[in-house]
Amino acid sequence: MATGRTHRPATRSRGIPEATVARLPLYLRALTALSERSVPTVSSEELAAAAGVNSAKLRKDFSYLGSYGTRGVGYDVEYLVYQISRELGLTQDWPVVIVGIGNLGAALAGYGGFASRGFRVAALIDADPAMTGKPVAGIPVQHSDDLEKIIEEDGVSIGVIATPAGVAQQVCDRLVNAGVTSILNFAPTVLAVPDGVDVRKVDLSIELQILAFHEQRKAGEEAGGTEAAVPPAVRGATPGANRKGPDGDIPAVMPA
């Protein structure tokens, strides 16, 4: 079976925009749900609604794949599943290592969606000697001392970092030096990587903070305007006026 080290998806060489690439998994998820219900064809409007995009954008995205559908019939679901899977590189085996087997890493190890989408968890790695040999989701944890050896033996090109922020960059450097060229980062920090290495960051706390912003805005609107969410001391201040702080005057509105 092909491994991620020797095969690459063709999206970049074919000139597919990154924004389109980011939407392909959304289309694939919607199409897979249709396929599981044995739906043979789908219109651009129906598929766009299921994927959460507008139909014009969907048709433009599919034009990059060479799929234009059939007027009055729509798109063949099974063919689109295959076509998008091929473009995303999901018709081959991608061995993945997960580094950091705490609560999050263990949950990722047990995620059933990896195998069904072309990803194989090749190894679980942790720096804690007490974790070595312990099975997590049926896979024995290996010590981080063996990281480079594991990557070489399994031909790994995708690494998942689920460590604390303080060691994430060190882990990232070791992954890259061992040949990993794509990293999914769950650690709450920004990683520095050389050219040719792709990093996707997943930060749950940031997503929650964005939701909190929207909740606060909605609460302010329900209370009769955004002014309700502003502290009275700030609301009553004259624009540009200064307030006293421990180090002197503080502008009412700090410069960006």
Side-chain angles (χ1 to χ4, degrees), residues 14 18 47 57 61 71 76 102 105 107 117 121 123 125 158 163 192-193 197 209 215 221 224 228:
R14 290 178 53 152
E18 287 294 332
L47 182 54
K57 184 173 292 183
D61 288 342
R71 185 177 296 275
D76 183 287
R117 288 167 174 81
V121 178
I125 300 172
I158 300 177
T163 65
V193 297
V197 176
Q209 289 169 37
E215 285 300 311
E221 291 171 351

Side-chain angles (χ1 to χ4, degrees), residues 20-31 84 88 90 117:
T20 295
V21 174
R23 287 188 289 269
L24 291 182
L26 303 179
Y27 301 139
L28 182 59
R29 181 175 60 189
L31 286 162
I84 294 176
L88 290 173
L90 303 183
R117 288 167 174 81

Side-chain angles (χ1 to χ4, degrees), residues 16 62-63 68 73 94 124 139 147 152 160 193 211 216:
I16 300 178
F62 284 0
S63 72
Y68 298 93
V73 177
W94 293 99
L124 306 178
I139 303 172
L147 176 61
E152 177 62 29
V160 178
V193 297
L211 289 175
Q216 176 176 261

Side-chain angles (χ1 to χ4, degrees), residues 147-160:
L147 176 61
E148 288 79 6
K149 177 183 176 183
I150 292 166
I151 291 172
E152 177 62 29
E153 290 181 347
D154 289 302
V156 174
S157 59
I158 300 177
V160 178

Side-chain angles (χ1 to χ4, degrees), residues 84-232:
I84 294 176
S85 296
R86 183 188 63 191
E87 290 295 336
L88 290 173
L90 303 183
T91 56
Q92 60 198 53
D93 173 49
W94 293 99
V96 175
V97 295
I98 301 176
V99 184
I101 313 303
N103 291 334
L104 178 57
L108 293 171
Y111 174 55
F114 282 138
S116 64
R117 288 167 174 81
F119 301 95
R120 172 174 59 86
V121 178
L124 306 178
I125 300 172
D126 198 275
D128 184 358
M131 292 290 295
T132 302
K134 179 180 178 181
V136 175
I139 303 172
V141 176
Q142 301 182 65
H143 195 269
S144 58
D145 286 349
D146 298 324
L147 176 61
E148 288 79 6
K149 177 183 176 183
I150 292 166
I151 291 172
E152 177 62 29
E153 290 181 347
D154 289 302
V156 174
S157 59
I158 300 177
V160 178
I161 297 178
T163 65
V167 297
Q169 184 63 58
Q170 178 185 352
V171 169
C172 174
D173 292 342
R174 290 184 63 189
L175 289 172
V176 171
N177 290 334
V180 168
T181 51
S182 293
I183 294 172
L184 182 60
N185 178 31
F186 284 89
T189 188
V190 176
L191 299 175
V193 297
D195 291 340
V197 176
D198 296 308
V199 176
R200 299 287 295 182
K201 180 171 175 56
V202 181
D203 194 322
L204 301 180
S205 66
I206 287 178
E207 299 302 324
L208 286 170
Q209 289 169 37
I210 293 172
L211 289 175
F213 164 81
H214 289 295
E215 285 300 311
Q216 176 176 261
R217 186 180 63 178
K218 286 183 285 189
E221 291 171 351
E222 291 172 359
T226 56
E227 183 177 319
V230 180

